[in-house]
Amino acid sequence: MTWAPLTASPNGTDTFSTGLEENLGYSTNGKYGYDTIALGWPGSGGPSLDHQIAAGIAAKEFYLGHFGSLTLGGYDRSKSEPKSLNVAFNEQDTRDLTVNVKAIFTTSKNNSQRTELLTKGFPAYVDSTIPYLYLPLESCIQFERAFGITWNESVLAYLVNDSLRSTLLTQNPSIIFTLSNSTTGSSPTIDIELPYAAFDLIAERPLMKNATRYFPLMRAANESQYTLGRTFLQEAYLVADYERRNFSISQCSWKEGVQQDIVPIMSPALDHHSDKQPLQGGALAGVIIGSVVVSLGILLALFYMARRRRKVLVSQSKADCQDSPEASERQDTCVMDGEILEVDSEPLPKPELHGRSFERYEVDGGIDGHNEAEGSNSWPQELEAERYRPVELPSTRDSG
């Protein structure tokens, strides 16, 4: 035995108030103590926590309470439709899973007629400990007119006889709840549809001496009692993330043969991408456009800096080029490291030759014609005429 009673109550016993649904008029006590809480049978190897506070209660108000379909540490994606409504936790911890009910209406089997069951929206707490829907009195009156149910003051319930049940099963109406995460008109919404089968319940002992069918609708005395109980959760799938303090609601999926798809909810301490919901189209487009603008700005800044730096380097190179002995003889350019650079300085004057004219000297024409003297940097000299007189050769042709 791991149980250890907790005996710190004012009356010296281990009995304390549970505090469950006191706003609905429930008043129950429980025997409290410390125990080891585990999933599975003892010794099966399932996860467990030691020295946890637990209470045992015996109260008919919670006789129908049960876990139902429960997934700890994640959710089963195969159990819900894709569309969901995300809602932040209520600031009041005892009513953390609060959602705004904007509309309630019913439709016939062929959806040919719609009947409004709510005149004004209200916030409601989603609670799995009770089976009922606690709605405003005005809404309850609309239900009475639409389905022919009657409030039984002695048992404080809407009882359904066999004849009325047969009629409702034949009509097979649907009740639709339109939910929102805000009281503003532009906030997102979702419709959760409940068939009449979700309201076809039976009360047994200890609630009723004999099995009796009832319609799980209760008249709320004030706003603090507005509650959506297990009747609602038969057709709504709820995922609560207590570390991030938000939850989501979607329509249950009853597709046959679908394989279980468990999705873990990672702790924010382990998951750096704590926001599980993807960006909407507008937000994603804004992020992309912003990224492109920032990138272009960076590229333009780098281009401007590179161009400015090049101008400085070119100016410096020009200055160095003009003073360099390796500079080109061209007046307007110079060559530095294999690149021709323009020179902004004044053109260099061309050196002029000596002002004295160069006289041209030719040898006398002869048989070989005239010959030009070999060019050189020295002054050309005239040859002596006597040493190179032309001599006529004797004729070898026969006379006559």
Side-chain angles (χ1 to χ4, degrees):
M1 290 290 292
T2 58
W3 174 263
L6 181 63
T7 57
S9 64
N11 56 10
T13 68
D14 56 356
T15 302
F16 297 85
S17 171
T18 61
L20 294 174
E21 317 305 342
E22 290 183 345
N23 63 308
L24 299 178
Y26 298 164
S27 178
T28 56
N29 294 328
K31 288 184 174 293
Y32 282 78
Y34 296 102
D35 204 348
T36 298
I37 308 298
L39 293 178
W41 295 102
S44 63
S48 63
L49 294 173
D50 297 330
H51 202 65
Q52 300 299 303
I53 296 178
I57 62 175
K60 66 179 182 179
E61 289 86 353
F62 305 109
Y63 178 72
L64 296 178
H66 58 83
F67 282 122
S69 177
L70 179 66
T71 303
L72 299 178
Y75 61 97
D76 189 351
R77 186 155 46 191
S78 67
K79 296 292 186 182
S80 65
E81 297 295 338
K83 182 180 179 179
S84 63
L85 177 70
N86 300 314
V87 188
F89 274 9
N90 190 284
E91 295 179 356
Q92 186 178 354
D93 289 338
T94 57
R95 298 180 65 85
D96 46 9
L97 306 178
T98 297
V99 65
N100 289 285
V101 181
K102 297 193 69 174
I104 305 175
F105 59 92
T106 180
T107 59
S108 58
K109 182 167 54 177
N110 57 6
N111 295 325
S112 61
Q113 183 178 0
R114 168 171 169 158
T115 302
E116 298 293 336
L117 302 175
L118 183 66
T119 58
K120 182 181 179 181
F122 61 90
Y125 176 54
V126 182
D127 188 359
S128 63
T129 60
I130 58 173
Y132 308 106
L133 302 176
Y134 278 81
L135 303 182
L137 178 60
E138 296 81 3
S139 181
C140 292
I141 294 175
Q142 297 298 325
F143 270 86
E144 293 172 7
R145 294 172 180 173
F147 302 111
I149 57 178
T150 303
W151 178 253
N152 190 312
E153 192 66 36
S154 60
V155 296
L156 299 179
Y158 284 100
L159 301 182
V160 178
N161 57 40
D162 293 339
S163 175
L164 178 58
R165 177 175 181 267
S166 178
T167 300
L168 292 175
L169 288 176
T170 301
Q171 295 176 351
N172 192 25
S174 294
I175 295 89
I176 294 91
F177 287 75
T178 300
L179 308 178
S180 173
N181 58 11
S182 174
T183 57
T184 60
S186 60
S187 59
T189 62
I190 190 172
D191 287 346
I192 303 298
E193 181 176 352
L194 283 69
Y196 174 72
F199 295 85
D200 187 23
L201 303 183
I202 300 176
E204 299 178 317
R205 286 182 179 272
L207 298 179
M208 303 290 291
K209 293 181 179 179
N210 300 313
T212 305
R213 295 191 178 276
Y214 73 102
F215 196 94
L217 178 64
M218 299 290 284
R219 295 177 172 182
N222 51 60
E223 294 181 357
S224 69
Q225 292 189 344
Y226 297 158
T227 305
L228 304 179
R230 289 195 305 275
T231 297
F232 173 78
L233 291 174
Q234 289 184 90
E235 300 296 332
Y237 193 82
L238 187 144
V239 179
D241 187 343
Y242 282 88
E243 288 192 272
R244 296 178 179 85
R245 295 189 59 78
N246 61 60
F247 67 100
S248 66
I249 296 178
S250 56
Q251 182 78 46
C252 278
S253 175
W254 300 107
K255 298 177 182 178
E256 296 183 0
V258 178
Q259 187 176 1
Q260 189 180 59
D261 184 11
I262 301 297
V263 179
I265 299 177
M266 304 302 295
S267 170
L270 301 176
D271 183 12
H272 296 292
H273 305 285
S274 59
D275 188 0
K276 303 186 292 301
Q277 301 299 322
L279 290 176
Q280 300 297 323
L284 182 59
V287 171
I288 294 175
I289 294 173
S291 300
V292 171
V293 171
V294 172
S295 299
L296 289 177
I298 294 175
L299 290 176
L300 289 174
L302 292 175
F303 175 76
Y304 174 78
M305 293 174 63
R307 187 174 182 182
R308 182 178 179 85
R309 176 177 175 80
R310 176 172 174 77
K311 286 184 177 180
V312 173
L313 292 177
V314 168
S315 300
Q316 183 65 38
S317 297
K318 287 180 181 179
D320 295 343
C321 179
Q322 292 175 354
D323 298 336
S324 172
E326 291 83 6
S328 171
E329 293 182 356
R330 293 187 57 181
Q331 299 177 10
D332 56 345
T333 62
C334 66
V335 179
M336 291 295 292
D337 296 331
E339 183 177 1
I340 298 176
L341 303 175
E342 293 184 358
V343 179
D344 296 332
S345 60
E346 295 294 331
L348 297 176
K350 293 183 179 180
E352 295 183 359
L353 297 177
H354 195 276
R356 180 180 177 181
S357 300
F358 292 102
E359 297 183 0
R360 180 174 181 174
Y361 296 89
E362 297 182 356
V363 297
D364 293 338
I367 302 174
D368 298 327
H370 63 272
N371 298 296
E372 186 176 349
E374 179 181 2
S376 67
N377 294 330
S378 60
W379 294 95
Q381 302 294 328
E382 182 178 359
L383 298 177
E384 296 179 3
E386 294 78 10
R387 297 178 57 182
Y388 296 96
R389 292 177 179 270
V391 178
E392 184 179 351
L393 296 176
S395 173
T396 58
R397 299 176 64 183
D398 294 336
S399 60

